[in-house]
Amino acid sequence: MAEDGASTDGHADLRRIKCDPNYWYPVGWSHELKRGKTIGTRYAGQPIALVRPQEGEVFALEDRCAHRQVPLSKGRVEGESVQCCYHGWAYGRSGRCIDVPYLGKGKLPNGVRTYPCREVGGLIFVFPGDPDLAASVPLPSLARAEDPEYKTRRFGRHVDCHYSFMHENLMDMNHQFMHMKQMGKMKPRFLGNDIQPAMVEARYSFARTDGKQPWGETIIFGQRRDNSAKYAHRDVMTIRTEYPYQTLRISTDGAPPVMDLWIVYVPQDEAQLTCRVFGLLSIRRPKLKGALELAWPFLVAFTERIFREDRDIVELEQQAWRELGGDHNQEVFPVINMLRDLLRRCGVAPVHEAS
């Protein structure tokens, strides 16, 4: 590893590249934040308090009272403001301090940072970058989360790795070797890719060469399949990183997707070596009404097992990065090298690397 933070291939170490904050990032689930309550969350080491008044929309503030830096998320919601639990200093949605109980109104101190905040699809988004840019940056399209033709699972976990490991894991379907116990032996076929300044897309088809179709997969496709040539390479899986988000869709014979996944990996610590996953997994409803609801627990269990294997392996990758002092990956799959270049290009390099 070079002293300037370059990887063994001469590029900037991808695991030191930070997310561009000038995008909308989810930092909480709508169901986590009740009326008249506040919760604490984070983006890349920045503590954020989400506040839901009894009436009105959610707002987001720096989670530190300007007085003694006590978390505002420990405070009390009063009207459209939040009061610090320590001395009762109150802040409105603009972040301005609007009341100090023991001071006159003309002597109020400065307030705290406020974040542009939006709520859509069961997610609470903030814009952690330049607030003047927020209005010009669109919110991401959230797959089929609001489509009644689909049933959506909202899931998320904390993962101890740099967000780039997660992007690589999902994009590279050659790692199905690792999921053999869950899915049987699968032979992926790389069908091609597309690349744009802020997007990389890869397409695959699959053939099962051994083992039985798991019930989770049966639920996704709505039919029981064997290992015959009839089903080999029939479905097309399209995976796209459209910075900073990722999607995965599975379609059969050009029909609407049977599965549509939207996912993002939100950095938690300042170094961005841990992330929180927010995912929306939408499954197309079969013609038989109620069938998907009955089978849903099996699908949840199946996807949880797959995610657990992915989480364990990327955390091992992160551990190796720490032990080796940098990125020693020897990547040979062209589309992953394209993805790595995209994440470097769209992300924010450390100051000493950018200069």
Side-chain angles (χ1 to χ4, degrees):
M1 187 69 188
E3 291 184 3
D4 63 358
S7 61
T8 53
D9 61 5
H11 292 100
D13 187 337
L14 178 57
R15 318 311 174 186
R16 301 182 192 275
I17 301 294
K18 296 185 177 182
C19 279
D20 184 347
N22 289 316
Y23 287 88
W24 290 96
Y25 291 90
V27 291
W29 297 100
S30 295
H31 67 80
E32 295 177 312
L33 185 57
K34 308 302 181 185
R35 283 283 171 195
K37 299 295 182 181
T38 181
I39 58 173
T41 185
R42 283 185 172 268
Y43 172 85
Q46 302 174 34
I48 299 170
L50 300 177
V51 183
R52 189 187 299 280
Q54 288 290 354
E55 296 182 4
E57 297 178 350
V58 175
F59 62 94
L61 303 176
E62 177 185 0
D63 197 11
R64 293 190 182 99
C65 178
H67 182 207
R68 301 278 184 90
Q69 288 73 60
V70 172
L72 290 176
S73 58
K74 302 291 186 183
R76 183 178 68 174
V77 177
E78 185 71 25
E80 287 205 37
S81 68
V82 58
Q83 288 183 298
C84 178
C85 64
Y86 200 2
H87 291 81
W89 288 29
Y91 303 86
R93 62 173 60 247
S94 69
R96 187 170 61 89
C97 182
I98 59 176
D99 185 44
V100 175
Y102 47 89
L103 286 181
K105 295 295 183 182
K107 301 178 181 179
L108 294 176
N110 293 331
V112 297
R113 177 180 178 182
T114 184
Y115 293 84
C117 183
R118 298 280 298 278
E119 185 171 16
V120 62
L123 286 165
I124 301 171
F125 288 82
V126 300
F127 195 87
D130 182 349
D132 291 336
L133 299 178
S136 64
V137 177
L139 283 160
S141 176
L142 300 180
R144 312 280 171 153
E146 305 295 332
D147 190 336
E149 296 297 316
Y150 289 77
K151 182 175 174 65
T152 296
R153 181 187 176 212
R154 292 167 170 81
F155 68 94
R157 295 286 186 276
H158 283 82
V159 183
D160 290 333
C161 76
H162 189 264
Y163 63 89
S164 62
F165 286 114
M166 300 296 289
H167 278 274
E168 292 176 6
N169 173 268
L170 189 63
M171 184 71 73
D172 188 357
M173 282 294 116
N174 297 299
H175 87 273
Q176 292 303 309
F177 179 86
M178 183 182 73
H179 296 307
M180 194 181 308
K181 182 178 179 181
Q182 306 298 335
M183 304 186 69
K185 291 183 178 180
M186 302 292 289
K187 183 178 181 180
R189 176 186 291 171
F190 180 59
L191 303 177
N193 64 271
D194 287 323
I195 183 168
Q196 296 177 16
M199 186 273 284
V200 169
E201 178 182 283
R203 297 178 297 277
Y204 301 85
S205 63
F206 296 88
R208 177 169 285 100
T209 59
D210 193 19
K212 295 182 179 180
Q213 182 186 35
W215 279 107
E217 185 182 313
T218 301
I219 296 165
I220 292 170
F221 289 106
Q223 63 179 176
R224 194 70 176 153
R225 296 179 174 185
D226 56 28
N227 298 346
S228 65
K230 175 182 177 181
Y231 298 111
H233 301 293
R234 177 180 175 184
D235 312 298
V236 175
M237 176 183 288
T238 303
I239 306 165
R240 174 182 291 185
T241 289
E242 192 164 0
Y243 192 88
Y245 318 110
Q246 248 185 339
T247 58
L248 184 154
R249 298 182 176 95
I250 302 176
S251 297
T252 305
D253 300 327
V258 294
M259 188 182 91
D260 199 338
L261 169 70
W262 179 90
I263 194 165
V264 65
Y265 320 108
V266 180
Q268 295 297 287
D269 61 305
E270 186 176 3
Q272 303 197 10
L273 300 180
T274 62
C275 62
R276 185 180 178 188
V277 176
F278 290 89
L280 302 173
L281 177 64
S282 300
I283 305 298
R284 187 168 178 82
R285 296 180 183 275
K287 294 181 180 179
L288 182 60
K289 291 185 177 181
L292 187 56
E293 280 69 19
L294 289 173
W296 197 251
F298 297 98
L299 177 70
V300 169
F302 171 69
T303 53
E304 277 295 309
R305 290 193 297 269
I306 296 295
F307 183 85
R308 189 179 305 118
E309 290 180 341
D310 286 330
R311 182 196 62 199
D312 290 348
I313 206 70
V314 295
E315 288 183 348
L316 287 173
E317 288 187 281
Q318 182 67 74
Q319 179 181 330
W321 181 90
R322 291 179 187 275
E323 292 173 353
L324 294 170
D327 186 5
H328 286 249
N329 284 21
Q330 298 184 44
E331 188 53 61
V332 296
F333 192 29
V335 76
I336 298 302
N337 280 323
M338 294 176 191
L339 172 65
R340 288 164 63 88
D341 288 342
L342 169 71
L343 296 175
R344 288 191 186 97
R345 188 169 64 248
C346 293
V348 179
V351 174
H352 69 279
E353 292 180 21
S355 59

